[in-house]
Amino acid sequence: MDNLSEALKKLKLASADSATDSVESCLDCLLKALAHNNANASEKVQEMGVLSLLPTLLAPQSSCTPKVANIIAEVAKNEFMRSPCVEAGLIPPLVQLLHSKDQEVLLQTGRALGNICYDSHEGRSAVDQAGGAQIVAGHIKSLSQNTDPDNGKLLTVFCGMLMNYSNENDSLQAQLINMGVIPTLVKLLGLHSDNTALTEMCLIAFGNLAELESSKEQFASTNIAEELVRLFQKQAEHEKKEMIFEVLAPLAENDVIKLQLVEAGLVECLLDVVTHTVNGERDEDVAQLKTASDLMVLLLLGDESMQKLFDAGKGSVFERVLSWVPSHNHQLQLAGALAIANFARNDGNCIQMVESGIVQKLLELLDRHVEEGNVTVQHAALSALRNLAIPVVNKAKMLSAGVSDTVLKFLPSEMPPVQFKLLGTLRMLIDTQADAADQLGTNSKLVERLVEWCEAKDHAGVMGESNRLLSALIRHSKSKDVVKTVIQGAGVKHLVVMAMSEHMIMQNEALVALGLIAGLDLVGAEKDFVGAGLVQVLHKLLSDERTAPEIKYNSMILICAVMGSEPLHKEVQGLAFIDVVSKLRSHENKTVSHQASLTEQRLTAQS
């Protein structure tokens, strides 16, 4: 350390006299000290004010320049030295050195700038102001075709510099994207795939840039999908595969890139990973299995990529994914069920899948999870069943396969995501299926649970779906027994509240169900209608100009339906409904104006 202090003093004197030889020996001594104990030597450099001497030693023609840049690169490995490097004015002369033709100067300058930028806002700002990134991006572009090993080292340093410059900084990443670095880096990956260090640097850079939405379009215009798949196929090590996965996941969020990845053969790679890791017990096997199967599901979110892999229900990939459902591995069961839900995004696929016997596999999977209770698997399998139940031709087949019985086993679940999917699945199943709606609607346990969930204010989705299923049971069954069960289960008040929903479709469903209740059992429902303020709700809906025509129409139908009840009749008279209804006779919608005339006649006749 004494030698270092001595050398730093000499360096101060020598740099003032421009004595090149003594400057060189002092620099050598400093580099040795940094190699021995970087942090201590850097502190000494800081204490003795040596940084401020270095800008003058960074002359492009000087033989000392590479050593000075190397020293800056070494001291900037320490976080506490990065801001002082900027304050000492080192960035502008370093950026100037990027115009040098000397390979060693460029290498050490790239290292110095990269290290100063690492996790340093001041460093990045200074490099940005000096225009350093543009020059480095230009170098990478012009050097990318050259496969000479020394050149590979320089490219690695430059890529690392841009990565440190832009890491976790959206505006600087956007700047690099606008400079066109993505196509250049993709070319690099193709030409230098044997250079491990450079490949890794490109992958990390892609990982950073791919998080930005604006990068996806540029990536989609390159052959990134082919390059990444080719690189993936060459990898044996877990860490390398993980690096590629980290780039693939954000890129695969883009539908164009999804299709490119499928066409480049990524799916076969993923299925391979699954085969090799499914029975593995090491942490890395578990991690790879999860990443590969998750990515597989992500690829199926794109309509074109999904349809290509479905291949009219005969695709080998489709068949392989189906085989995951009966697996003993929860991760694969989950991915298999999610994949089916993604394949079930159009009627044609759904009809074909139900015919092929998929429903039975999903029911068996759910049965295994009634006791085991893996919530994510339950949720995924219910999602798949819900989607499969959308086409009308599938409903009766699924009901006779026992879907509703299996789904009802999850009624006790306290998990909102499972509750939500359970409700959605039952609602899809009973749509237009009167017998099933009748059977479920007279199930008092189900109705009680629905009424309970109609009050789940913390979970708007569950609350909305419960209301909709309650209404659907009445609308599709048109059964007096179902109406009775709903009245006894205290469900009427929830349908009255639902009539005031912000969603028109829910308002309509509520009003039609309330109309059926009034028509099938007005006496039984009378007390609940009064208690829930039904007449006041209808008055509000008819008075509000913003109410949709079909809501006004159904509200008037309901007014006529409740007139047979004395207490409700009195409430209607008390609110002067005739005034509101007579105004609607001139409504621009013919159905509304016609119903207003009929309703007015009814109100007048019974006043």
Side-chain angles (χ1 to χ4, degrees):
M1 199 47 80
D2 291 342
N3 289 350
L4 176 61
S5 303
E6 204 55 47
L8 292 176
K9 278 180 197 162
K10 276 187 190 165
L11 181 59
K12 284 177 127 176
L13 293 168
S15 62
D17 300 341
S18 307
T20 309
D21 291 346
S22 27
V23 166
E24 288 248 17
S25 62
C26 297
L27 294 174
D28 289 336
C29 181
L30 178 47
L31 281 168
K32 264 188 198 161
L34 285 163
H36 176 66
N37 188 330
N38 192 314
N40 284 358
S42 295
E43 273 179 29
K44 203 78 181 155
V45 166
Q46 170 74 327
E47 272 169 35
M48 294 186 68
V50 171
L51 288 178
S52 57
L53 310 175
L54 301 183
T56 54
L57 296 175
L58 287 171
Q61 276 76 40
S62 166
S63 58
C64 303
T65 301
K67 283 179 185 171
V68 177
N70 187 0
I71 286 165
I72 297 168
E74 288 301 316
V75 299
K77 286 178 178 176
N78 302 286
E79 191 183 346
F80 65 88
M81 291 298 285
R82 289 171 201 145
S83 290
C85 283
V86 176
E87 286 154 16
L90 295 177
I91 300 295
L94 282 170
V95 169
Q96 281 310 306
L97 288 177
L98 290 171
H99 295 294
S100 170
K101 298 278 182 279
D102 184 307
Q103 187 109 350
E104 184 62 16
V105 170
L106 289 172
L107 189 73
Q108 299 303 346
T109 303
R111 286 184 61 234
L113 289 169
N115 290 353
I116 292 171
C117 285
Y118 184 80
D119 228 0
S120 162
H121 173 68
E122 293 84 359
R124 291 169 182 178
S125 267
V127 172
D128 181 21
Q129 281 165 13
Q134 285 88 333
I135 303 167
V136 170
H139 274 307
I140 294 174
K141 195 169 185 177
S142 60
L143 293 168
S144 60
Q145 304 293 329
N146 183 341
T147 52
D148 174 2
D150 285 348
N151 191 49
K153 202 173 174 189
L154 185 54
L155 280 168
T156 306
V157 165
F158 279 158
C159 286
M161 182 259 157
L162 288 186
M163 195 182 68
N164 287 354
Y165 170 72
S166 64
N167 189 30
E168 291 182 357
N169 185 311
D170 286 0
S171 65
L172 294 181
Q173 286 176 354
Q175 182 193 81
L176 294 184
I177 291 164
N178 292 336
M179 283 180 210
V181 301
I182 288 174
T184 305
L185 292 176
V186 174
K187 271 188 197 143
L188 268 190
L189 192 64
L191 290 166
H192 299 264
S193 57
D194 295 331
N195 183 332
T196 310
L198 181 53
T199 300
E200 284 184 12
M201 212 51 92
C202 285
L203 287 173
I204 297 168
F206 290 148
N208 289 346
L209 296 171
E211 296 293 342
L212 229 62
E213 208 40 56
S214 58
S215 73
K216 306 278 168 58
E217 232 170 272
Q218 267 201 37
F219 274 119
S221 67
T222 70
N223 63 337
I224 183 75
E226 289 168 40
E227 295 298 356
L228 288 174
V229 171
R230 195 177 303 145
L231 192 63
F232 191 87
Q233 287 163 338
K234 286 169 63 176
Q235 303 308 323
E237 291 171 45
H238 166 70
E239 282 77 15
K240 298 281 166 57
K241 286 182 177 173
E242 277 299 316
M243 281 184 88
I244 301 171
F245 275 142
E246 279 169 24
V247 181
L248 287 168
L251 285 180
E253 285 167 11
N254 177 282
D255 282 359
V256 177
I257 301 174
K258 276 188 185 79
L259 187 60
Q260 291 172 353
L261 289 168
V262 167
E263 288 172 342
L266 177 62
V267 172
E268 289 71 16
C269 295
L270 297 177
L271 291 173
D272 237 23
V273 172
V274 169
T275 306
H276 287 109
T277 56
V278 67
N279 297 315
E281 288 174 9
R282 295 175 306 170
D283 287 351
E284 62 185 55
D285 289 333
V286 175
Q288 270 197 55
L289 178 71
K290 177 171 169 34
T291 311
S293 52
D294 284 351
L295 192 47
M296 185 78 197
V297 172
L298 182 57
L299 291 176
L300 294 173
L301 281 172
D303 287 338
E304 281 188 79
S305 50
M306 177 273 286
Q307 212 53 50
K308 189 176 175 71
L309 293 171
F310 185 67
D311 194 13
K314 296 179 183 67
S316 61
V317 172
F318 171 64
E319 286 169 7
R320 281 281 293 280
V321 170
L322 288 196
S323 72
W324 294 355
V325 177
S327 154
H328 290 289
N329 183 298
H330 283 185
Q331 176 57 37
L332 275 196
Q333 294 170 359
L334 170 65
L338 287 172
I340 292 171
N342 285 345
F343 280 125
R345 284 212 311 278
N346 62 53
D347 283 7
N349 291 8
C350 289
I351 293 164
Q352 215 166 334
M353 286 199 279
V354 168
E355 279 172 5
S356 74
I358 272 178
V359 170
Q360 205 47 51
K361 285 184 177 177
L362 289 168
L363 295 183
E364 284 162 14
L365 176 62
L366 279 170
D367 272 332
R368 287 161 69 182
H369 283 276
V370 174
E371 298 305 321
E372 287 178 47
N374 184 306
V375 175
T376 50
V377 176
Q378 293 171 1
H379 179 262
L382 289 167
S383 295
L385 287 171
R386 181 198 174 281
N387 288 4
L388 290 168
I390 293 172
V392 175
V393 293
N394 283 355
K395 297 179 195 295
K397 289 178 185 172
M398 289 177 72
L399 285 162
S400 60
V403 172
S404 59
D405 297 339
T406 301
V407 170
L408 286 173
K409 290 176 187 175
F410 295 90
L411 261 189
S413 173
E414 293 303 331
M415 305 305 292
V418 174
Q419 296 167 353
F420 181 72
K421 287 297 175 186
L422 172 154
L423 293 162
T425 307
L426 291 177
R427 187 165 63 79
M428 284 301 158
L429 278 171
I430 63 163
D431 193 2
T432 70
Q433 306 298 305
D435 291 347
D438 198 336
Q439 197 185 345
L440 287 171
T442 50
N443 178 333
S444 55
K445 270 194 178 150
L446 170 62
V447 172
E448 274 169 32
R449 196 71 164 129
L450 292 183
V451 169
E452 189 187 319
W453 285 339
C454 283
E455 291 168 1
K457 291 191 168 53
D458 293 343
H459 301 287
V462 172
M463 193 164 83
E465 275 294 342
S466 302
N467 278 303
R468 293 190 76 186
L469 181 54
L470 204 55
S471 154
L473 292 168
I474 296 165
R475 288 183 295 111
H476 296 300
S477 69
K478 299 182 177 57
S479 149
K480 191 167 185 173
D481 290 339
V482 171
V483 167
K484 205 171 180 179
T485 310
V486 171
I487 294 169
Q488 285 169 350
V492 174
K493 63 182 177 190
H494 295 296
L495 293 171
V496 175
V497 172
M498 183 182 168
M500 292 298 287
S501 164
E502 57 193 29
H503 304 290
M504 191 180 78
I505 191 163
M506 287 175 70
Q507 286 184 297
N508 233 344
E509 288 171 358
L511 291 167
V512 172
L514 290 166
L516 284 163
I517 294 172
L520 291 165
D521 193 357
L522 183 57
V523 175
E526 185 180 78
K527 198 174 159 193
D528 289 334
F529 280 164
V530 172
L534 174 65
V535 173
Q536 289 81 352
V537 165
L538 294 173
H539 188 270
K540 204 170 177 182
L541 289 173
L542 289 171
S543 310
D544 191 339
E545 285 177 12
R546 293 165 302 175
T547 304
E550 51 265 61
I551 305 295
K552 288 191 188 294
Y553 172 80
N554 281 325
S555 297
M556 287 187 281
I557 296 273
L558 189 47
I559 282 295
C560 295
V562 301
M563 291 297 282
S565 151
E566 199 183 326
L568 292 166
H569 187 175
K570 274 184 184 164
E571 286 190 359
V572 170
Q573 284 179 314
L575 279 171
F577 261 85
I578 287 187
D579 300 348
V580 179
V581 172
S582 63
K583 279 183 192 165
L584 293 174
R585 276 175 30 211
S586 56
H587 195 279
E588 59 188 0
N589 183 296
K590 293 285 174 279
T591 316
V592 171
S593 57
H594 178 61
Q595 185 56 44
S597 301
L598 295 176
T599 307
E600 188 180 31
Q601 285 168 26
R602 179 82 189 268
L603 291 171
T604 311
Q606 290 196 271
S607 60

